[in-house]
Amino acid sequence: MLDLLNDLIWSKLLIVMLIGLGLFFTIASRFVQFRYFGSMFRIFGEAFKRQPGQLSSFQALMLSVAGRVGAGNIAGVSVAIMLGGPGAVFWMWVVALVGMATSYFECSLAQLYKRREADGGYRGGPAFYIQHGLGQRWLGILVSLLLLVTFGFGFNAVQSYTVASSLNDTFGVPTYVSGIALMVVIGLIIFGGIKRIAKFADVLVPIMAFSYIAMALFVIGSNAGDIPDAFATIFRSAFGLEPAFAGGLGAAIIMGVKRGLFSNEAGLGSAPNVAAVAEVQHPVAQGIVQSLSVFIDTIILCSCTALIIILSGVFEPGSDMAGVVLTQTAVAAVVGEWGRVFISVALLLFVFTTLIYNYYLGENALGFFSSKRGPVLIYRVMVIALVMWGSVQDLGTVFAFADVTMGLLAICNLIALALLFKVGLRLMRDYDGQREAGIESPVFDPKKFADLDLDPRVWTSQASAQSAANPTLSGVQAQQH
């Protein structure tokens, strides 16, 4: 049943929707993900002007990277190569590059339609821009349910499976023991809330990401002479020109798209939930920053894993190694057995932050249609149980379950983005217009978007505060009117 659904969703619908809509968003926005690539780093500096108690743009980015960087970068890439050949990596790159534009639009819309909570924080995401942008609450509830099942249950099962199989391969720890340990840790942490999670993420994520990149560069550098051949293998396999690798062109594309989306989540509807929490001067600013997390995740980190596997020489077509075990074996073949330990520890840190991030996304989705305490407690118990379940399952079952729920969620979110594209384009033009007028840091003016269902408590107060702090900016905006 799972295989049948996966075939329908991935080979018929999502390949066209993800790449097709991503290309459309890219061209229609005049390649926004590349035009503002340099601006991503400047926006980080502005982030520290936020009000006390709010998340900065940088913290929201790190939280997104914390969620995206995990099993997908280590085990997911291995699975893609095992089932689709090295060419799957090329299609992961394609999904990421066009997905940067998709992520930009979904995160900008999440900022635009976010709501202020009673405690002064913000909440937003696909369910909110569907309800307030499209006026379809029923679809918002469906997306919230799919988000809850995909991240709270499906992805957490994948993460716990990956770390349990890694620790079993490296240290001989029984998978059920790892499952119990993860249950205890997650149970202790999930009561801390989004701000505590962010404090961990904006310190831990850069450290673990740079450590993994450093290890990858060492492995790649040790085989520098073979790098051209590795890229040639990826490109040949991507177009079915490398008969030695399983599946040919079709398998490469399907696995590249599947594992690419699982890893970078562009268009999936997860990152907007975190993007909406940040406080920025203009919704587009956070959209620009969030597209960077897709680049970091896939173009940098997934490429590192792919090159480690291909350059090590341990990968053979038809290999039946579990995903993470292939990566560990590849590293160990170059640097020795301590490399296997390094991957296990890195994966443990990656999965630690990802499990918490996934939990938060599920709770955020649950909060869209229920504010009662009872459902939250039930959800927490189920998350902890699914972490245990995932740790003792087999690779095929865990990934198949996650693929189905992820595919359905992506379809709903991409349809909503297509219907709201004109609003996103209008928002982008407002930002572009201010930049062209010489405004270095554009500020959102809710009066220009009075016809939309926005929360006045979010943007009116911010616009007033920014105008008071920058009278020159107010004058320029008055001239634009």
Side-chain angles (χ1 to χ4, degrees):
M1 183 66 177
L2 288 175
D3 289 340
L4 184 65
L5 282 172
N6 269 323
D7 181 64
L8 173 65
I9 291 169
W10 290 98
S11 64
K12 306 291 192 300
L13 294 173
L14 269 181
I15 288 179
V16 174
M17 292 182 72
L18 277 171
I19 298 180
L21 281 175
L23 281 171
F24 174 73
F25 292 155
T26 296
I27 295 169
S29 66
R30 294 181 292 121
F31 298 86
V32 66
Q33 67 268 49
F34 306 119
R35 285 194 292 119
Y36 283 119
F37 192 83
S39 300
M40 298 172 185
F41 305 96
R42 177 185 54 77
I43 293 170
F44 289 157
E46 299 170 3
F48 299 100
K49 299 174 185 176
R50 71 191 189 283
Q51 297 175 9
Q54 303 293 356
L55 291 188
S56 71
S57 183
F58 178 76
Q59 284 180 309
L61 173 70
M62 288 299 102
L63 198 54
S64 293
V65 175
R68 288 180 163 124
V69 175
N73 301 87
I74 298 177
V77 175
S78 303
V79 171
I81 292 175
M82 283 193 301
L83 301 181
V89 178
F90 173 84
W91 295 106
M92 291 181 76
W93 293 338
V94 171
V95 169
L97 290 174
V98 300
M100 288 174 70
T102 307
S103 185
Y104 158 82
F105 276 106
E106 64 179 349
C107 292
S108 296
L109 288 169
Q111 270 284 329
L112 179 67
Y113 287 106
K114 69 183 179 183
R115 263 47 193 169
R116 185 181 286 275
E117 296 286 278
D119 63 0
Y122 302 119
R123 186 184 290 269
F128 290 82
Y129 56 68
I130 287 171
Q131 176 175 336
H132 300 289
L134 297 177
Q136 303 294 329
R137 179 169 172 79
W138 69 270
L139 183 56
I141 292 174
L142 176 61
V143 166
S144 293
L145 285 171
L146 287 170
L147 192 70
L148 188 153
V149 172
T150 300
F151 285 87
F153 304 146
F155 281 12
N156 271 348
V158 171
Q159 301 290 341
S160 61
Y161 165 82
T162 304
V163 76
S165 60
S166 171
L167 294 175
N168 178 258
D169 175 68
T170 304
F171 303 108
V173 179
T175 55
Y176 73 88
V177 173
S178 298
I180 292 171
L182 286 171
M183 283 175 59
V184 172
V185 172
I186 292 302
L188 292 173
I189 289 174
I190 59 178
F191 295 93
I194 183 65
K195 291 172 184 173
R196 181 179 297 179
I197 295 169
K199 287 180 181 178
F200 281 107
D202 63 5
V203 173
L204 189 58
V205 170
I207 292 174
M208 66 186 187
F210 281 116
S211 298
Y212 185 69
I213 291 171
M215 163 63 81
L217 290 176
F218 177 78
V219 173
I220 294 168
S222 301
N223 297 273
D226 296 326
I227 292 176
D229 287 340
F231 278 102
T233 299
I234 290 173
F235 288 118
R236 285 197 303 269
S237 179
F239 297 98
L241 303 176
E242 192 72 34
F245 295 107
L249 178 60
I253 295 175
I254 291 173
M255 290 310 303
V257 173
K258 269 189 182 183
R259 300 281 68 84
L261 180 61
F262 175 76
S263 180
N264 64 53
E265 301 173 17
L268 188 54
S270 54
N273 294 273
V274 177
V277 177
E279 183 172 277
V280 290
Q281 297 178 24
H282 197 288
V284 166
Q286 191 61 27
I288 291 169
V289 168
Q290 290 299 136
S291 68
L292 179 61
S293 65
V294 178
F295 184 87
I296 293 171
D297 175 272
T298 305
I299 304 301
I300 297 178
L301 290 172
C302 287
S303 297
C304 286
T305 301
L307 287 173
I308 287 173
I309 294 170
I310 295 170
L311 290 171
S312 68
V314 302
F315 169 68
E316 295 179 3
S319 171
D320 59 352
M321 290 187 194
V324 67
V325 176
L326 175 59
T327 306
Q328 290 181 163
T329 304
V331 174
V334 178
V335 303
E337 283 302 307
W338 70 268
R340 195 183 300 271
V341 175
F342 175 86
I343 293 296
S344 290
V345 173
L347 185 64
L348 188 61
L349 293 176
F350 286 160
V351 168
F352 171 73
T353 53
T354 304
L355 285 172
I356 303 169
Y357 166 85
N358 290 347
Y359 162 79
Y360 165 72
L361 290 180
E363 186 179 284
N364 188 56
L366 185 61
F368 177 74
F369 51 84
S370 175
S371 58
K372 295 180 180 178
R373 187 70 177 167
V376 175
L377 293 177
I378 294 172
Y379 167 67
R380 288 176 176 175
V381 172
M382 291 183 69
V383 166
I384 293 171
L386 263 292
V387 166
M388 181 67 205
W389 176 80
S391 66
V392 295
Q393 288 302 305
D394 64 278
L395 180 70
T397 300
V398 174
F399 267 103
F401 175 66
D403 281 342
V404 168
T405 58
M406 173 176 66
L408 293 173
L409 175 60
I411 289 170
C412 292
N413 185 56
L414 288 169
I415 290 172
L417 290 178
L419 294 174
L420 287 169
F421 177 69
K422 288 185 178 179
V423 176
L425 204 59
R426 179 179 165 192
L427 194 63
M428 185 192 74
R429 286 169 178 162
D430 176 67
Y431 188 90
D432 287 346
Q434 293 188 47
R435 287 293 301 268
E436 290 166 5
I439 301 172
E440 187 68 19
S441 302
V443 173
F444 180 73
D445 183 357
K447 295 176 184 176
K448 298 180 183 178
F449 296 82
D451 57 309
L452 302 181
D453 180 13
L454 307 183
D455 186 348
R457 298 172 299 171
V458 173
W459 295 110
T460 303
S461 58
Q462 278 192 228
S464 300
Q466 293 297 335
S467 296
N470 194 343
T472 304
L473 179 61
S474 301
V476 173
Q477 288 182 323
Q479 289 176 0
Q480 286 185 328
H481 280 298

